[in-house]
Amino acid sequence: MWTEKRSLVLSKCCVVAFMIMLAVAAVLAPRAFRAWVVYMPEQRMVYFRATVYIGLVPAVSLLLLLYGLLHRIGVGEVFVSKNTDCLRYISWCCFAGAAVSMASAFYWFPWCAIGVAAAFMGLIVRVIKNVVAKAVSLQEEADYTI
Amino acid sequence: MPIVVNLDMMMLKRKMSSGELAEIIGLSQANLSILKTGKAKAIRFSTLEAICKALECQPGDILEYKE
Protein backbone atom coordinates (compact mmCIF):
# COMPACT_ATOMS: atom_id res chain seq x y z
CA MET A 1 0.00 0.00 0.00
CA TRP A 2 1.22 3.51 -0.87
CA THR A 3 1.92 5.64 2.17
CA GLU A 4 3.21 9.14 2.85
CA LYS A 5 6.45 7.66 4.22
CA ARG A 6 7.06 5.61 1.08
CA SER A 7 6.40 8.66 -1.05
CA LEU A 8 9.05 10.58 0.91
CA VAL A 9 11.53 7.71 0.55
CA LEU A 10 10.86 7.62 -3.21
CA SER A 11 11.38 11.39 -3.44
CA LYS A 12 14.67 11.09 -1.53
CA CYS A 13 15.78 8.24 -3.81
CA CYS A 14 14.99 10.41 -6.85
CA VAL A 15 17.06 13.27 -5.42
CA VAL A 16 19.98 10.90 -4.78
CA ALA A 17 19.60 9.47 -8.30
CA PHE A 18 19.78 13.00 -9.71
CA MET A 19 22.89 13.69 -7.62
CA ILE A 20 24.55 10.56 -9.06
CA MET A 21 23.50 11.55 -12.60
CA LEU A 22 24.94 15.01 -12.01
CA ALA A 23 28.23 13.56 -10.79
CA VAL A 24 28.39 11.25 -13.82
CA ALA A 25 27.54 14.18 -16.11
CA ALA A 26 30.31 16.27 -14.53
CA VAL A 27 32.86 13.54 -15.16
CA LEU A 28 31.70 12.55 -18.65
CA ALA A 29 30.63 15.97 -19.96
CA PRO A 30 33.72 16.70 -22.10
CA ARG A 31 33.71 13.25 -23.72
CA ALA A 32 29.93 13.22 -24.14
CA PHE A 33 29.95 16.54 -25.98
CA ARG A 34 32.67 15.33 -28.31
CA ALA A 35 30.69 12.18 -29.12
CA TRP A 36 27.37 13.99 -29.31
CA VAL A 37 28.23 16.89 -31.57
CA VAL A 38 30.69 15.80 -34.24
CA TYR A 39 31.28 19.08 -36.02
CA MET A 40 31.69 21.31 -32.99
CA PRO A 41 34.54 23.82 -33.09
CA GLU A 42 36.97 23.64 -30.16
CA GLN A 43 36.01 27.15 -29.00
CA ARG A 44 32.35 26.18 -28.66
CA MET A 45 33.36 23.03 -26.78
CA VAL A 46 35.04 25.21 -24.17
CA TYR A 47 31.84 27.24 -23.82
CA PHE A 48 29.79 24.06 -23.42
CA ARG A 49 32.08 22.81 -20.66
CA ALA A 50 31.95 26.20 -18.94
CA THR A 51 28.14 26.19 -19.02
CA VAL A 52 27.94 22.66 -17.62
CA TYR A 53 30.45 23.22 -14.82
CA ILE A 54 29.08 26.63 -13.79
CA GLY A 55 25.55 25.21 -13.95
CA LEU A 56 26.60 22.37 -11.66
CA VAL A 57 26.92 24.77 -8.70
CA PRO A 58 23.22 25.79 -8.50
CA ALA A 59 22.16 22.27 -9.51
CA VAL A 60 24.09 20.59 -6.67
CA SER A 61 22.96 23.27 -4.18
CA LEU A 62 19.35 22.77 -5.26
CA LEU A 63 19.52 19.00 -4.82
CA LEU A 64 21.13 19.32 -1.37
CA LEU A 65 18.47 21.83 -0.30
CA LEU A 66 15.76 19.55 -1.68
CA TYR A 67 17.16 16.60 0.28
CA GLY A 68 17.24 18.69 3.47
CA LEU A 69 13.65 19.80 2.89
CA LEU A 70 12.49 16.21 2.39
CA HIS A 71 14.36 15.12 5.52
CA ARG A 72 12.66 17.82 7.63
CA ILE A 73 9.25 16.86 6.22
CA GLY A 74 10.08 13.25 7.13
CA VAL A 75 10.71 14.15 10.79
CA GLY A 76 7.47 16.14 10.98
CA GLU A 77 8.88 19.65 10.61
CA VAL A 78 6.62 20.80 7.78
CA PHE A 79 5.43 24.34 8.44
CA VAL A 80 8.63 25.80 9.92
CA SER A 81 10.49 28.93 8.85
CA LYS A 82 13.53 26.80 7.93
CA ASN A 83 11.50 25.28 5.09
CA THR A 84 10.44 28.72 3.86
CA ASP A 85 14.11 29.76 3.72
CA CYS A 86 14.95 26.47 2.01
CA LEU A 87 12.30 27.06 -0.68
CA ARG A 88 13.59 30.60 -1.15
CA TYR A 89 17.14 29.30 -1.72
CA ILE A 90 15.80 26.63 -4.10
CA SER A 91 14.06 29.32 -6.16
CA TRP A 92 17.33 31.32 -6.27
CA CYS A 93 19.13 28.20 -7.46
CA CYS A 94 16.58 27.88 -10.27
CA PHE A 95 17.09 31.53 -11.22
CA ALA A 96 20.87 31.10 -11.11
CA GLY A 97 20.57 28.09 -13.42
CA ALA A 98 18.32 30.13 -15.69
CA ALA A 99 20.86 32.97 -15.78
CA VAL A 100 23.67 30.56 -16.71
CA SER A 101 21.54 29.00 -19.45
CA MET A 102 20.42 32.37 -20.82
CA ALA A 103 24.00 33.61 -20.89
CA SER A 104 24.98 30.47 -22.80
CA ALA A 105 22.37 31.08 -25.49
CA PHE A 106 24.84 33.33 -27.34
CA TYR A 107 26.78 30.33 -28.67
CA TRP A 108 23.98 27.72 -28.71
CA PHE A 109 20.45 29.06 -28.90
CA PRO A 110 18.60 25.99 -27.43
CA TRP A 111 20.09 26.90 -24.01
CA CYS A 112 17.51 29.69 -24.05
CA ALA A 113 14.66 27.13 -23.76
CA ILE A 114 16.34 25.52 -20.73
CA GLY A 115 16.82 28.98 -19.21
CA VAL A 116 13.14 29.85 -19.63
CA ALA A 117 12.12 26.48 -18.13
CA ALA A 118 14.43 27.00 -15.13
CA ALA A 119 13.16 30.55 -14.57
CA PHE A 120 9.57 29.32 -14.76
CA MET A 121 10.37 26.59 -12.23
CA GLY A 122 11.96 29.20 -9.96
CA LEU A 123 8.81 31.28 -10.19
CA ILE A 124 6.61 28.32 -9.24
CA VAL A 125 8.86 27.50 -6.26
CA ARG A 126 8.69 31.16 -5.20
CA VAL A 127 4.87 31.05 -5.19
CA ILE A 128 4.96 27.81 -3.16
CA LYS A 129 7.40 29.53 -0.75
CA ASN A 130 4.88 32.34 -0.22
CA VAL A 131 2.13 29.80 0.48
CA VAL A 132 4.35 27.94 2.97
CA ALA A 133 5.32 31.24 4.65
CA LYS A 134 1.61 31.97 5.20
CA ALA A 135 1.09 28.43 6.50
CA VAL A 136 4.02 28.88 8.91
CA SER A 137 2.46 32.03 10.38
CA LEU A 138 -0.92 30.25 10.73
CA GLN A 139 0.80 27.28 12.38
CA GLU A 140 2.62 29.58 14.82
CA GLU A 141 -0.65 31.28 15.68
CA ALA A 142 -2.31 27.92 16.26
CA ASP A 143 0.63 26.76 18.40
CA TYR A 144 0.41 29.87 20.55
CA THR A 145 -3.35 29.75 21.02
CA ILE A 146 -3.90 28.51 24.52
CA MET B 1 1.32 43.53 22.28
CA PRO B 2 -0.75 46.00 24.34
CA ILE B 3 -2.72 43.18 25.98
CA VAL B 4 -1.06 42.19 29.25
CA VAL B 5 -1.76 38.90 31.01
CA ASN B 6 -1.93 39.39 34.77
CA LEU B 7 -2.23 35.73 35.57
CA ASP B 8 0.77 35.75 37.91
CA MET B 9 -0.78 38.46 40.09
CA MET B 10 -4.13 36.66 40.26
CA MET B 11 -2.44 33.37 41.17
CA LEU B 12 -0.50 35.14 43.91
CA LYS B 13 -3.72 36.65 45.29
CA ARG B 14 -5.37 33.23 45.36
CA LYS B 15 -2.14 31.59 46.62
CA MET B 16 -2.22 29.04 43.83
CA SER B 17 0.84 27.49 42.22
CA SER B 18 1.31 26.99 38.46
CA GLY B 19 1.18 23.23 38.77
CA GLU B 20 -2.02 23.39 40.79
CA LEU B 21 -3.74 25.74 38.32
CA ALA B 22 -2.55 23.73 35.32
CA GLU B 23 -4.03 20.59 36.82
CA ILE B 24 -7.37 22.23 37.67
CA ILE B 25 -7.90 23.79 34.25
CA GLY B 26 -6.46 20.81 32.36
CA LEU B 27 -3.62 22.68 30.68
CA SER B 28 0.00 21.60 30.38
CA GLN B 29 2.59 23.51 32.44
CA ALA B 30 4.31 24.53 29.22
CA ASN B 31 1.15 26.11 27.80
CA LEU B 32 0.40 27.84 31.09
CA SER B 33 3.94 29.24 31.04
CA ILE B 34 3.37 30.57 27.47
CA LEU B 35 0.24 32.30 28.75
CA LYS B 36 1.97 33.71 31.84
CA THR B 37 4.97 35.05 29.97
CA GLY B 38 2.78 36.84 27.42
CA LYS B 39 4.02 34.76 24.49
CA ALA B 40 0.51 33.52 23.66
CA LYS B 41 -1.06 34.93 20.49
CA ALA B 42 -4.64 34.07 21.46
CA ILE B 43 -6.66 32.54 24.27
CA ARG B 44 -9.68 30.30 23.82
CA PHE B 45 -12.92 31.24 25.60
CA SER B 46 -12.93 27.75 27.14
CA THR B 47 -9.45 28.31 28.64
CA LEU B 48 -10.42 31.76 29.91
CA GLU B 49 -13.59 30.34 31.42
CA ALA B 50 -11.63 27.57 33.17
CA ILE B 51 -9.07 30.06 34.55
CA CYS B 52 -11.79 32.42 35.79
CA LYS B 53 -13.59 29.50 37.43
CA ALA B 54 -10.43 28.20 39.10
CA LEU B 55 -9.26 31.63 40.30
CA GLU B 56 -12.77 32.93 41.04
CA CYS B 57 -12.25 36.11 39.08
CA GLN B 58 -13.41 38.01 35.98
CA PRO B 59 -11.66 37.97 32.56
CA GLY B 60 -10.77 41.63 33.17
CA ASP B 61 -8.76 40.62 36.23
CA ILE B 62 -6.50 38.49 34.04
CA LEU B 63 -6.36 40.50 30.82
CA GLU B 64 -5.50 44.16 30.70
CA TYR B 65 -5.13 46.63 27.82
CA LYS B 66 -2.08 48.88 28.13
CA GLU B 67 -1.04 51.54 25.57
Side-chain angles (χ1 to χ4, degrees):
Chain A
M1 210 172 109
W2 198 246
T3 60
E4 195 186 334
K5 200 177 175 187
R6 279 186 189 174
S7 173
L8 273 170
V9 170
L10 179 67
S11 301
K12 274 187 183 176
C13 287
C14 288
V15 171
V16 172
F18 266 99
M19 280 179 186
I20 293 166
M21 279 197 285
L22 219 59
V24 171
V27 173
L28 298 180
R31 252 184 272 171
F33 282 137
R34 206 173 286 280
W36 184 31
V37 190
V38 184
Y39 302 110
M40 189 185 280
E42 190 55 37
Q43 183 66 33
R44 189 178 279 192
M45 201 70 120
V46 172
Y47 288 148
F48 257 107
R49 276 180 216 151
T51 301
V52 168
Y53 288 117
I54 295 169
L56 272 177
V57 178
V60 169
S61 313
L62 187 146
L63 287 173
L64 289 173
L65 286 164
L66 216 52
Y67 193 86
L69 181 70
L70 287 169
H71 174 74
R72 276 193 294 280
I73 291 170
V75 295
E77 292 176 13
V78 184
F79 298 119
V80 292
S81 53
K82 244 184 190 178
N83 288 351
T84 317
D85 293 338
C86 191
L87 284 168
R88 186 189 299 122
Y89 298 142
I90 288 172
S91 79
W92 280 116
C93 287
C94 289
F95 289 132
V100 172
S101 298
M102 287 292 197
S104 305
F106 82 95
Y107 69 87
W108 197 57
F109 192 71
W111 278 121
C112 201
I114 296 167
V116 170
F120 193 67
M121 187 63 79
L123 193 68
I124 292 170
V125 174
R126 198 130 190 101
V127 171
I128 293 170
K129 184 224 75 163
N130 288 329
V131 173
V132 172
K134 186 71 191 163
V136 168
S137 80
L138 287 173
Q139 179 75 56
E140 261 177 31
E141 203 167 302
D143 286 345
Y144 284 100
T145 297
I146 310 297
Chain B
M1 204 157 57
I3 300 288
V4 179
V5 182
N6 292 322
L7 196 57
D8 261 339
M9 223 153 62
M10 214 55 218
M11 282 164 64
L12 210 68
K13 274 186 193 170
R14 300 287 183 260
K15 291 183 179 113
M16 199 179 275
S17 70
S18 291
E20 218 176 326
L21 182 65
E23 204 184 313
I24 294 169
I25 63 176
L27 216 61
S28 68
Q29 291 243 34
N31 278 345
L32 190 65
S33 167
I34 289 171
L35 198 59
K36 274 167 61 183
T37 51
K39 283 182 191 164
K41 296 208 174 185
I43 181 164
R44 288 191 192 91
F45 277 142
S46 55
T47 310
L48 193 60
E49 187 187 322
I51 292 170
C52 288
K53 196 175 171 185
L55 296 174
E56 292 167 354
C57 63
Q58 291 299 312
D61 298 327
I62 299 163
L63 303 174
E64 188 188 350
Y65 175 75
K66 268 186 188 168
E67 290 230 43

